Amino acid sequence: MNDVLQQSESLPVLIVGAGPIGLELSVALHRCAIEHLVLDAGSIGQTMSWWAPGTRWFSSNERIAIAGVPLLTPDQGKATREQYLTYLRSVVAQFQLPVCTFESVIDVRPDAAGYVVTTRSTAGENTYRCGAVVLAIGGTDRPRRLGVPGEDLAHVDGYLREPHRYAGRRVVIVGGRNSAVEAALRLHHAGARVTLCHRGEELPEDGIKYWLLPEIKGLIAAERIRGCFGCVVTEITPSHVVAQSSQGERRLAADDVLTLIGYEQDKTLLQRIGIELTGENLRPQFDSETMETNLPRIYIAGTAVAGTQTSKYKTFLENCHDHVDKIVTHLTGAHGDHVESVKPYARQIVSQPES
């Protein structure tokens, strides 16, 4: 694929990001017979690939299906990480989408015909010429940091791994929302001795999914999971997490520490290109009708539009499907219904988001 494209003068569109919205846009362009290429620094669905095995989506299948292709599971329950990654691969295969993985975009520069895109892979640097660039790069590139001594120790991790590896170990989980609560439950059931350390005086009930809340509250009340609330972590040592509370300093024994306090968007490419970033979340500036950024023919799509979101996420896959129609319409000048599968649920998604 790369060798062939190197010989062509220019592509009409280059999509950066092979997640759900990047692939949904690729299918829409395919249906419009618009030549394009999808590049991703990692694998297809890179964000989902680092989820722990067996992790389930919070959204219903019909809300995260893309390109009119049904997402089917055995009982039509919420899809697991593995089921969704398989689904994304099947969409790529079904439409024979031009996807190149593990090829990072490191620069985008204007030229007379549009843009020159520089990439890097294990084979070295490549360049592509294109008329338009779509950045579907997501917003959860790396874990947030606590900013305390010991955070870089080997037993500290910002990601939940295979739950089996924590069996019989003392695990301190820092955080109090969905990711932290789900990790606490899964590790408890895998045989870990779990302490949930949260800076709030109690769990934020409006920030935890309804099917998780009763179980975590019951296990904490029964002292099967230890709850440490009103505690701010001040240091991590090889054997303990040191936290400060209104009762003074607490030392929580830990073989493993999971800092599940959210994730940040990597702004490097956005800043290098010259995308204007605004507000507390450093959101990319864009036209909400066309998804075009402050740079002509460079578009932003998917959760990337929100920058680094706070703990109360407002932008997620469910409410990003319309970005595809807006971009295709602006590129072609003709409106088309490219996200048919989600249209019946559009009003529900706005009024009752599940993610």
Side-chain angles (χ1 to χ4, degrees):
M1 177 76 68
N2 290 39
D3 292 339
V4 172
L5 289 169
Q6 297 292 316
Q7 299 167 13
S8 65
E9 290 188 2
S10 180
L11 283 165
V13 183
L14 191 146
I15 301 169
V16 185
I21 295 298
L23 296 180
E24 188 160 48
L25 176 59
S26 179
V27 173
L29 295 176
H30 169 81
R31 286 170 170 160
C32 294
I34 297 174
E35 188 182 6
H36 64 283
L37 178 66
V38 184
L39 300 176
D40 200 292
S43 60
I44 294 169
Q46 176 65 19
T47 295
M48 282 72 72
S49 71
W50 53 252
W51 293 1
T55 300
R56 291 189 179 275
W57 277 83
F58 286 142
S59 299
S60 302
N61 292 351
E62 65 272 8
R63 297 188 178 205
I64 57 174
I66 62 173
V69 179
L71 169 57
L72 303 178
T73 54
D75 60 356
Q76 211 48 19
K78 297 177 189 296
T80 65
R81 160 194 179 274
E82 291 78 8
Q83 289 168 335
Y84 196 70
L85 290 174
T86 301
Y87 169 73
L88 293 183
R89 294 198 307 273
S90 74
V91 172
V92 172
Q94 176 179 339
F95 294 97
Q96 296 184 322
L97 300 180
V99 178
C100 294
T101 56
F102 296 96
E103 185 166 358
S104 304
V105 173
I106 57 177
D107 203 6
V108 178
R109 293 296 176 200
D111 75 349
Y115 291 94
V116 176
V117 178
T118 304
T119 69
R120 182 180 293 124
S121 69
T122 54
E125 289 193 0
N126 291 322
T127 58
Y128 303 92
R129 284 179 168 79
C130 59
V133 177
V134 181
L135 302 171
I137 58 176
T140 54
D141 298 295
R142 58 191 176 216
R144 289 181 185 269
R145 292 180 63 83
L146 291 168
V148 302
E151 190 170 14
D152 294 318
L153 290 171
H155 70 304
V156 182
D157 200 343
Y159 299 103
L160 172 64
R161 309 294 175 175
E162 162 61 60
H164 173 77
R165 74 180 296 277
Y166 304 96
R169 294 175 66 81
R170 299 168 298 178
V171 183
V172 173
I173 299 173
V174 183
R177 292 186 176 272
N178 280 313
S179 295
V181 168
E182 184 173 20
L185 294 174
R186 295 189 69 188
L187 297 193
H188 166 75
H189 292 306
R193 289 171 284 170
V194 177
T195 298
L196 186 61
C197 182
H198 179 49
R199 63 184 178 182
E201 295 297 331
E202 57 185 17
L203 289 174
E205 296 194 5
D206 62 344
I208 300 173
K209 293 303 175 184
Y210 62 87
W211 59 88
L212 300 178
L213 191 60
E215 186 176 12
I216 190 67
K217 290 177 70 174
L219 288 170
I220 290 173
E223 299 183 350
R224 297 175 66 191
I225 290 177
R226 182 183 180 189
C228 181
F229 299 112
C231 291
V232 177
V233 175
T234 58
E235 184 183 2
I236 301 173
T237 75
S239 60
H240 290 80
V241 170
V242 182
Q244 193 68 34
S245 71
S246 57
Q247 283 77 44
E249 184 178 279
R250 302 183 67 174
R251 295 176 63 83
L252 311 173
D255 301 310
D256 294 289
V257 180
L258 298 179
T259 55
L260 303 181
I261 57 173
Y263 301 90
E264 297 178 333
Q265 183 182 61
D266 185 348
K267 314 287 185 185
T268 305
L269 182 61
L270 298 172
Q271 292 169 331
R272 182 172 298 155
I273 292 174
I275 303 295
E276 292 186 13
L277 305 178
T278 62
E280 179 183 0
N281 294 354
L282 294 179
R283 295 181 51 174
Q285 186 184 81
F286 66 96
D287 184 327
S288 61
E289 295 300 316
T290 66
M291 310 309 294
E292 191 175 35
T293 67
N294 59 290
L295 299 177
R297 308 289 279 186
I298 294 187
Y299 302 85
I300 194 93
T303 56
V305 303
T308 294
Q309 300 192 66
T310 62
S311 58
K312 295 186 177 181
Y313 278 62
K314 300 295 184 183
T315 305
F316 27 75
L317 174 55
E318 287 184 20
N319 56 18
C320 290
H321 295 287
D322 64 332
H323 299 177
V324 172
D325 268 341
K326 292 176 179 179
I327 292 171
V328 173
T329 299
H330 195 247
L331 285 171
T332 64
H335 179 73
D337 292 332
H338 303 292
V339 287
E340 300 91 338
S341 63
V342 80
K343 288 185 183 297
Y345 310 101
R347 187 170 298 176
Q348 295 176 26
I349 290 170
V350 172
S351 62
Q352 287 186 305
E354 292 179 343
S355 289

